Amino acid sequence: MNTSDLNTSQLAAVVYNDGPQLIIAGAGSGKTRVLTYKVAYLLEQGLPAGHILALTFTNKAAREMKSRICQLVGDDCARYLWMGTFHSIFARILRQEASLLGYTHDYTIYDTTDSRSVIKHIVKDFQLDDKVYKPNVVHARISMAKNNLQSPNLYAADKEYLMRDRFDKMSEMARIYAEYNRRLKAANAMDFDDILVNTHTLLQKFPEAAEKYQDLFQYVLVDEYQDTNRAQYMILKRLVEKNQRICVVGDDAQSIYSFRGADISNILNFQKDYPDAQVYKLEQNYRSTQTIVNAANSLIRHNKGQIRKEVFSELNIGERLLLATYMTDRDEAKAVAKHIHALAPRTYSYDDIAVMYRTNAQSRVIEDELRLLGIPYRIYGGTSFYQRKEIKDLVAYLRLVSNFDDNEAFLRVVNYPARGIGDTTVARLYEAARLNKCSLMRVAIAPDKMTSDLSAATQKKVMEFAQMIEHFAQEMMLKDAFVFAQDLMTQTGILREAKKDTTPEGIARYENIEEFLSGLHEFCDRRQQEGIDFTPITDFLAEISLLTDQDEHLDDQQARVTLLTIHAAKGLEFRANFIVGLEENLFPSAFCQSVREIEEERRLLYVAITRSMERCYLMNAKQRFRNGQTTFTTPSRFLKDIDRQFLLSQDGETRRPQPATPAFSIAHSSAHLTPTTGMKEKSKKKTIRSEWQKDDRVAHRVFGAGTVLDVYRENDNDKIDILFDQVGKKTLLVTYAKLERL
């Protein structure tokens, strides 16, 4: 094996194999290379492949590592390695030892869908409210308990869990957990979390089995050790208890998955667990320019809970990170699109560029602006905004209200949120529609006249749904699209249902719904500023149908800009990287309050910055539309943590891009601005009589308090100039300003 392509630190980490070893691998420092060479070195030293256990977190990582090892030492030598994910390796062990735990060797592994189906039946059998005990929420709580090795009995005795469950009106959680485990065992089945729990049980309760695997695995390697949870930590500790030959590789500065159960203390306390451990630090970054590396170092240095290291790069010094603040999130997105348009495809391929954000909902406005400039993109590890399930559900409601003959929309929403109209009922409605040659909605309006297959109780549910849709159809003609959609989501219970789900996935869905409303609000504002006083919901549906049609015609072979959350970005790299939404309560998230949580958010930004190879853009906005209203924001505290010498500030607010047409120069707000910047006036100002006078103190629902400077007529429009306390001078149309006197 030729080790000439290893640096001094990497080589030292490879050849030490005498006891516990911690390899702290900084971002871009060649971690996979070290792991690969280390396994190859062990094989060359005579350790049989069948006695080496190498654990990863993804099948992709395991395949890549094994392929590289085969290139170094040959297929025959590497064939019998125990290499794979925690779950795949431990499931293999459990197949052999299942009888000790009361299973047969051909036990079934339930996936997430199977698990939630079991929970759904338990909730029904216990006669509990399925709107409170949602299968995904219940499953998430059981999963977290199992990853922390908490059995149903321990769960029932945990005061913190009990208080949380009572607060959420889920006091039956412990009983559901116990019944869930009982039903899985009766079905000779394990869920994904049981694979870890049962492996731990096997090693703790059966000493002979523990000794067998301690002797089998004479050397244990673990990738991404900072991402291990308590169950994984306890299993590893037991496996190496006899010979202490363990090598863990990871970076505490990239520990960002606590919401999945990852515990950073596992890597921080490794030297306490193994006092004889040798620590090796891989500090040379082969990915990023010196400036990007230095900026990331200056950020992460503010975390107290860490293993100190000084990552360095010997690549080009490179450009400073661009820091820019914009008035609105729409302006921020426009700037991203314009920068990308300038970079690609001439300087960079679209594949070289990424836009990263803290929450999935932020993708909508970015997608809009990329589409306007014809920039191709892909959503990595996710779905384009208008293709997400919760958004398609909302759109289906709006489609059905505006078109009773839309059967696809009817099928999508007739039982969303759940109202007791199941598949059997829908099938009977469908048959009635076929026989009567009409739409499903027409049947639902008068089910008693269309079919005799429904009970009186079921007919009542169907008619109530139809009456609700008819009511919305009448309201649609009277209300502006934004107000109408907001009322619909409230009255149908969509918003209430979405807000109940406090899992990370549930929170993301709720944020997407809010962002949908934001886009609708923005659309209505733009129409008003174009002189259209009333925007029906059908106009908005027509616009987004064009966007979703574009999503259906993507060429997978085409180079594309990558849009992704930062959590999905770990392990990736891009030549140019735009990090957007760097504002308080967004990044760091409003859900993060404790020191430990804030430090993880800082690590998340560190991960984002270190994905950048040559260029990194840090962006934020002064206002965003969130929670049904435009709110002012403040820059993320993390921006102050980055040493200013590595930043180039750009005043995005004062040098805003000039649009081709006035419609796109308007701020994302409910204000109705006149796009006069940079344009020559064709007529002079003329003083007019108005309820507002110079020096009046007024309040605007978006821009806040301000002082009137002038009221006048110009180009046949009555305008008012106001100096707002927070955002400076704005020119509004008097008709739409909606001011209050202070």
Side-chain angles (χ1 to χ4, degrees), residues 623-679:
Q623 62 186 52
R624 285 183 188 271
F625 190 89
R626 302 185 73 189
N627 301 316
Q629 60 185 356
T630 302
T631 57
F632 291 102
T633 67
T634 56
S636 169
R637 70 190 75 180
F638 299 147
L639 294 174
K640 294 180 181 178
D641 294 341
I642 302 174
D643 195 316
R644 303 302 293 183
Q645 66 176 307
F646 306 124
L647 299 176
L648 175 63
S649 295
Q650 181 187 77
D651 189 348
E653 178 190 353
T654 57
R655 287 195 290 275
R656 291 167 62 184
Q658 292 299 312
T661 62
F664 296 113
S665 69
I666 301 165
H668 172 200
S669 71
S670 61
H672 303 281
L673 308 180
T674 304
T676 58
T677 305
M679 300 172 64

Side-chain angles (χ1 to χ4, degrees), residues 120-135:
K120 183 177 180 180
H121 285 104
I122 293 172
V123 169
K124 184 177 180 180
D125 292 346
F126 283 6
Q127 298 183 334
L128 299 172
D129 187 347
D130 58 5
K131 294 183 178 64
V132 175
Y133 292 92
K134 293 183 176 181

Side-chain angles (χ1 to χ4, degrees), residues 394 484-495 513 516-517:
L394 297 180
F484 169 71
Q486 200 170 35
D487 288 349
L488 181 147
M489 291 180 201
T490 300
Q491 292 175 34
T492 57
I494 291 173
L495 286 174
I513 291 171
F516 178 85
L517 285 173

Side-chain angles (χ1 to χ4, degrees), residues 366-428:
I366 304 291
E367 292 183 62
D368 287 353
E369 293 303 322
L370 293 180
R371 282 189 177 107
L372 284 174
L373 291 186
I375 296 171
Y377 67 88
R378 69 171 62 85
I379 305 289
Y380 180 84
T383 309
S384 180
F385 184 81
Y386 288 106
Q387 296 297 334
R388 292 168 191 166
K389 179 188 179 300
E390 57 274 16
I391 302 305
K392 295 188 81 167
D393 290 340
L394 297 180
V395 171
Y397 259 113
L398 300 177
R399 280 169 43 188
L400 182 61
V401 167
S402 60
N403 175 15
F404 284 3
D405 294 329
D406 190 334
N407 281 347
E408 292 305 311
F410 181 96
L411 290 169
R412 192 169 189 102
V413 303
V414 67
N415 200 38
Y416 169 72
R419 51 177 61 90
I421 301 175
D423 293 342
T424 301
T425 300
V426 171
R428 288 171 179 168

